[in-house]
Amino acid sequence: MEKAEPIEIMNPPTSNSPWGKINSTVETVSLGDIMSEQLATDLQSKEDRCCLTDVPDVYPLNLSDDYECDSDAAIARALQLQYDKEYDEILKRTENKFNGNSKVSISYSKYLRTPNNLDFDSDSEPEEEIDDRHRQASEKAFMQIPRCGYRKLGASEVAAAEDDSQQQNSTGKINLVTKHDMTTAGRRNACRVMTAFPPEVCTGDGGGFDMQLSNKVFNSLRAHHQSEAKRRIRVADKSERATCEQCLDPPTRLLLLKLLDGGTLKTIHGILGTGKEAVVVHAIGGPGPDPDEHMNTWGARNISIPDECAIKIFKTTLNRFKAREQYIREDYRFKDRFKKQNPRKVIHLWAEKEMHNLVRMQKAAIPCPQVVILKKHILVMSFIGDGEPNRAAPKLKDAILTPDQYVSAYNQIVDAMIRMYRDAELVHCDLSEYNVLWQSKEQRCVIIDVAQAVETNSHPLAKSFLMRDCENVTSYFIKKGVKEAKSAKELFFEITKKVREDESDKICDAEIAVA
Ligand code: ADP
Ligand code: MG
């Protein structure tokens, strides 16, 4: 209806009603006139005038002078408002009739159609003004209490306070106010909630009313906030320390960076192999760490760093912790320390154990990687290559050997087991084709992965672990057609025989001495 372009021009209605019968006499006008703006404006004002003259007769509208009434939509809204007002009056009358003098009353207020502040002149919502008077006043009141903890009230304040106390049904003359005063403390708590909590805590604005919070409420709010803050820190902390299946959690990355910065390593390459409990990474050795900076790092002094290194990074996932426990708990070298450690530190012990075992094996001339440096759960050792740079020796399981080479490999492994047991006084505990590398150029077996190796003398299960190793070795080489391979039992006795003879000799010597 709003200023529609008139094609058929109608005379203004003669009826009193805006919906009255319309005289349909049509004037013929030229196209030029129709397009004329002057004509359009004249017609519009004619129509408006007609509406304005007609409406008051039928609907007693209270249109003020400044009321904008230049469109049908505005008139419709005004009519609607009038209708809503009448509707609300009927509602109120019904409500009064229903309630009468009854003490319990009902209210139809939520069905009212005209809110008191209806203002359809402006489209935008009225700006919300935050009434901060109460908060400012109570902040001020609290500030006025001196350090001694109380303040004498002036005459006007006494009167106001008495008013307050009457409202709160308390008696007694008030002429001083302490910092423990209920109202003051309540207001102070409300202020503190607004100002002392960090912005992420949703406190509302508290404006517009005299907000008071009892100490109990304030304390529990604060306790809740503190525990939430701690929890948030814990969550962040957890994600930082989170143990990680592929080993490169942030602390590990930091340690590796230190090894690079310290000069132990020059570059770190890709992953050589992933085992049950570690990831082994290839690296190029650096010029060497500064000995003064690494006073407390095992192996940092007087080390010669090989050109190529293997970095064994022990997985910090704790799910393998239980499996490791039996190899370390009974080892006298770690017994005392193991008891005191938390699971995470046990992983460091585990790396340390591998380092000690490798050193013992080197002394016993068993082919194994040479230890370079140990840092927490990171063990740097020499790289077991396969003749060419960056190419690791394959596991015995993956290597393709001739029958003679298998025989040679078997003999080398038996020899290594004997040396390990007798000279290094260790049992590997996980000896199999998976933990032996084959260097084809040197035609040599290299024993790796000795973190779980235990002491022959001190560990109560050493012999049964040795038996298991013998079974693994025997079954593999029998499978590969090595006829020389002994049975597991024979191998076990071959390894332990010499020791048993020595032991019986010792026992005989002791008996002679006693006699
Ligand atoms: P896990 O205890 O997880 O079994 P290993 O010590 O057996 O870890 O190492 C996993 C793999 O990493 C090995 O199978 C081997 O292929 C490779 N590897 C380990 N140490 C070396 C090394 N010094 N030189 C070359 N490759 C190595
Ligand atoms: Mg292994």
Side-chain angles (χ1 to χ4, degrees), residues 275-276 430 434-435 448-449:
K276 294 187 295 287
D430 193 16
Y434 290 88
N435 285 329
I448 59 160
D449 197 3

Side-chain angles (χ1 to χ4, degrees), residues 433-474:
E433 62 275 25
Y434 290 88
N435 285 329
V436 175
L437 302 183
W438 174 254
Q439 288 184 304
S440 55
K441 202 173 161 200
E442 293 92 344
Q443 305 232 336
R444 188 170 82 129
C445 284
V446 180
I447 313 285
I448 59 160
D449 197 3
V450 289
Q452 69 291 320
V454 299
E455 277 260 329
T456 47
N457 298 323
S458 65
H459 202 289
L461 297 173
K463 293 247 163 63
S464 55
F465 291 147
L466 179 63
M467 191 61 194
R468 199 173 61 191
D469 284 353
C470 293
E471 279 165 4
N472 289 341
V473 170
T474 302

Side-chain angles (χ1 to χ4, degrees), residues 148-340:
C148 63
Y150 66 90
R151 184 171 67 86
K152 276 197 171 178
L153 296 180
S156 61
E157 285 174 316
V158 171
E162 273 172 357
D163 270 3
D164 248 14
S165 73
Q166 267 165 16
Q167 274 171 20
Q168 292 165 18
N169 295 331
S170 77
T171 49
K173 190 125 180 94
I174 303 161
N175 54 11
L176 59 85
V177 61
T178 72
K179 62 182 178 182
H180 301 296
D181 174 69
M182 287 261 281
T183 317
T184 317
R187 285 175 183 157
R188 179 189 57 197
N189 287 340
C191 292
R192 283 166 73 194
V193 165
M194 296 294 149
T195 53
F197 282 71
E200 68 266 16
V201 179
C202 224
T203 54
D205 55 46
F209 64 99
D210 183 14
M211 188 161 80
Q212 293 176 27
L213 285 182
S214 71
N215 287 345
K216 197 177 162 195
V217 170
F218 178 78
N219 287 341
S220 55
L221 263 178
R222 190 172 52 183
H224 173 75
H225 159 67
Q226 281 168 351
S227 72
E228 274 296 294
K230 270 190 198 154
R231 197 184 61 82
R232 270 202 302 277
I233 290 167
R234 258 205 314 276
V235 169
D237 202 18
K238 248 187 194 170
S239 74
E240 258 169 34
R241 285 193 334 209
T243 58
C244 154
E245 184 63 18
Q246 286 307 318
C247 293
L248 292 179
D249 50 1
T252 307
R253 285 206 292 270
L254 198 68
L255 284 175
L256 289 175
L257 267 177
K258 279 184 182 169
L259 286 174
L260 285 169
D261 285 350
T264 309
L265 301 173
K266 198 171 151 201
T267 41
I268 295 175
H269 291 157
I271 291 174
L272 285 172
T274 313
K276 294 187 295 287
E277 57 196 24
V279 173
V280 180
V281 180
H282 181 252
I284 302 292
D290 179 355
D292 295 335
E293 267 189 37
H294 297 81
M295 296 272 279
N296 301 322
T297 309
W298 192 96
R301 287 175 162 268
N302 309 322
I303 55 162
S304 62
I305 297 172
D307 292 343
E308 288 184 86
C309 295
I311 312 169
K312 184 163 180 175
I313 307 164
F314 285 83
K315 287 179 185 172
T316 48
T317 41
L318 304 177
N319 54 356
R320 296 207 55 79
F321 169 66
K322 274 278 158 218
R324 285 168 181 161
E325 201 181 332
Q326 60 168 330
Y327 297 101
I328 201 162
R329 197 184 338 109
E330 299 298 340
D331 196 315
Y332 83 94
R333 295 170 295 174
F334 299 95
K335 227 174 189 172
D336 291 344
R337 286 164 66 198
F338 177 77
K339 273 184 216 152
K340 289 173 204 151

Side-chain angles (χ1 to χ4, degrees), residues 87-106:
Y87 176 86
D88 289 351
E89 261 164 37
I90 297 168
L91 260 187
K92 271 184 194 147
R93 271 203 299 272
T94 320
E95 187 184 295
N96 290 341
K97 198 172 158 195
F98 195 89
N99 288 333
N101 294 329
S102 166
K103 282 182 184 165
V104 182
S105 61
I106 57 147

